[in-house]
Amino acid sequence: MSNAFIKDLTERIISAPDTGATEAEAIMIAALPETELPELLACANTVTAACAGGDFFTCTIINAKSGRCSQDCAFCAQSARHVTGVSVYPLLRKTEMLARALEMERINATHFSMVTSGPRLNDDEIDIICDTAADILAKTRLAICCSLGMITARQAEKLRQSGVTRYHHNLETARSFFSEICTTHDYDEDIDTLKTAEAAGLSVCSGGIMGLGESWQQRVELAFTLKLLNVSRIPINFLNPIAGTKLARQPLLSPLEALKSIALFRFIHPMADITICGGREPTLKDFQSWVFTAGANGLMIGNYLTTQGRDLAADLEMINAWRRLRARP
């Protein structure tokens, strides 16, 4: 019966990709036993190929301002409330950020994002980001993204005018679980940030971290919150517990639960870009190439904010193998 449910749902979504799974169907997906996972992943891959379209894309980031964040996010190595030994430095100079962007273009990355610690930047810092974005746009073919915390309408407009095309701001988890993860700002402030970016003409990128201790129901809740916000790109992270944070002892998700989470988001968001980001190495281990089967069409490559990423050559080889597979008649 489960296989028939997955098959029928897949066919319906392909025929009407602007709908996706309903909340009731999503809860049924979440309840599927592991024995149904091969069928679920195969169908998620079918939905991706039919509805998401386009080539695989690769995101890269630079930690442009590190540490001393005033927020108390339970997972974050950069929170000033945690003792993690993370590097602390102010906003990097334009030359440093440009050099990193040029390096990422040489390895054929498609997107480059400047990411900063803290709840928000001041106007002078925004001006430096905008100046850097304009320079990157003039000297590379990279799509330019930013993740700068909460922004004003004026700042969002300046970012768009400088050449930034996409603004990233994760919700991290469901509203019903958020108070377990962060108590220093309200969930609606994050939602307002996404709305501000979109109103300025920026595409929005928002997702969360799987494995914080949330339930499957709360994963479904997060996915539908993102759907209500018309988020076009969804980064999925997996908790990589860092010593000194509140979640340092939180167990990793199993590879199969992580893959099922990706598939869940694909069925709810047939046409969105789904990017697999931080935490995939310790969580997925030898199953990293399975993220594409599970529904992803993008991958963050290179290092993350405070942790090391996988070898770039290995990631690029994995992506190219999937490109060749997709290109076969």
Side-chain angles (χ1 to χ4, degrees):
M1 183 179 295
S2 294
N3 283 348
F5 159 65
I6 299 168
K7 181 175 180 294
D8 291 347
L9 178 60
T10 301
E11 291 175 353
R12 179 178 68 74
I13 289 174
I14 290 173
S15 67
D18 58 332
T19 58
T22 65
E23 187 170 355
E25 289 166 337
I27 291 170
M28 291 175 67
I29 291 172
L32 289 170
E34 286 188 356
T35 53
E36 303 296 338
L37 191 59
E39 178 81 8
L40 180 67
L41 298 187
C43 287
N45 184 43
T46 299
V47 170
T48 305
C51 302
D55 192 11
F56 296 115
F57 61 91
T58 52
C59 296
T60 60
I61 64 173
I62 184 169
N63 191 359
K65 180 182 181 182
S66 181
R68 291 182 183 160
C69 179
S70 62
Q71 305 300 290
D72 67 351
C73 300
F75 56 83
C76 186
Q78 298 192 81
S79 171
R81 301 164 189 241
H82 298 152
V83 180
T84 61
V86 70
S87 296
V88 176
Y89 50 81
L91 187 65
L92 297 176
R93 297 188 303 268
K94 179 177 77 169
T95 53
E96 295 174 277
M97 292 186 276
L98 176 60
R100 177 66 171 172
L102 292 170
E103 178 187 352
M104 292 299 99
E105 186 181 49
R106 284 193 291 271
I107 63 166
N108 294 320
T110 58
H111 295 71
F112 179 77
S113 183
M114 292 171 279
V115 184
T116 57
S117 175
R120 57 182 53 81
L121 297 185
N122 61 41
D123 286 341
D124 289 342
E125 291 171 318
I126 290 288
D127 287 343
I128 293 171
I129 293 290
C130 289
D131 192 27
T132 303
D135 220 4
I136 293 171
L137 183 66
K139 295 177 180 178
T140 75
R141 298 181 303 277
L142 292 163
I144 308 167
C145 316
C146 286
S147 182
L148 314 172
M150 299 166 197
I151 52 173
T152 66
R154 181 173 176 273
Q155 289 173 337
E157 177 63 23
K158 291 179 73 173
L159 289 168
R160 186 190 62 78
Q161 291 178 353
S162 72
V164 174
T165 57
R166 190 177 297 274
Y167 197 80
H168 166 264
H169 192 76
N170 274 348
L171 296 183
E172 308 301 4
T173 192
R175 182 189 290 273
S176 64
F177 192 64
F178 188 70
S179 63
E180 299 294 321
I181 301 303
C182 180
T183 66
T184 47
H185 71 269
D186 190 77
Y187 201 72
D188 284 323
E189 293 182 71
D190 292 326
I191 288 177
D192 288 345
T193 295
L194 295 175
K195 291 179 177 179
T196 297
E198 185 177 38
L202 296 167
S203 297
V204 292
C205 171
S206 183
I209 305 173
M210 305 295 109
L212 298 173
E214 76 286 348
S215 66
W216 275 106
Q217 175 67 53
Q218 286 163 332
R219 291 173 196 164
V220 172
E221 181 187 342
L222 171 62
F224 276 91
T225 298
L226 296 171
K227 191 161 191 171
L228 285 172
L229 292 168
N230 297 313
V231 171
S232 61
R233 179 162 294 173
I234 302 171
I236 294 179
N237 301 268
F238 304 103
L239 179 68
N240 183 1
I242 296 173
T245 65
K246 295 175 186 176
L247 292 180
R249 298 184 181 277
Q250 181 73 15
L252 294 173
L253 292 185
S254 72
L256 297 185
E257 185 171 358
L259 292 169
K260 185 179 176 183
S261 299
I262 299 169
L264 174 70
F265 274 76
R266 173 52 70 200
F267 277 98
I268 297 170
H269 295 270
M271 296 190 295
D273 288 331
I274 295 181
T275 321
I276 307 307
C277 302
R280 64 180 166 93
E281 294 85 358
T283 297
L284 291 163
K285 303 178 178 66
D286 291 338
F287 287 84
Q288 289 187 63
S289 64
W290 287 44
V291 300
F292 300 122
T293 302
N297 62 326
L299 195 70
M300 182 173 287
I301 60 175
N303 294 330
Y304 306 112
L305 291 175
T306 62
T307 57
Q308 296 291 306
R310 196 165 75 140
D311 177 70
L312 277 170
D315 273 346
L316 294 174
E317 181 181 356
M318 179 176 72
I319 292 166
N320 287 331
W322 271 91
R323 282 176 172 147
R324 291 192 296 270
L325 185 62
R326 177 176 280 188
R328 290 178 183 174

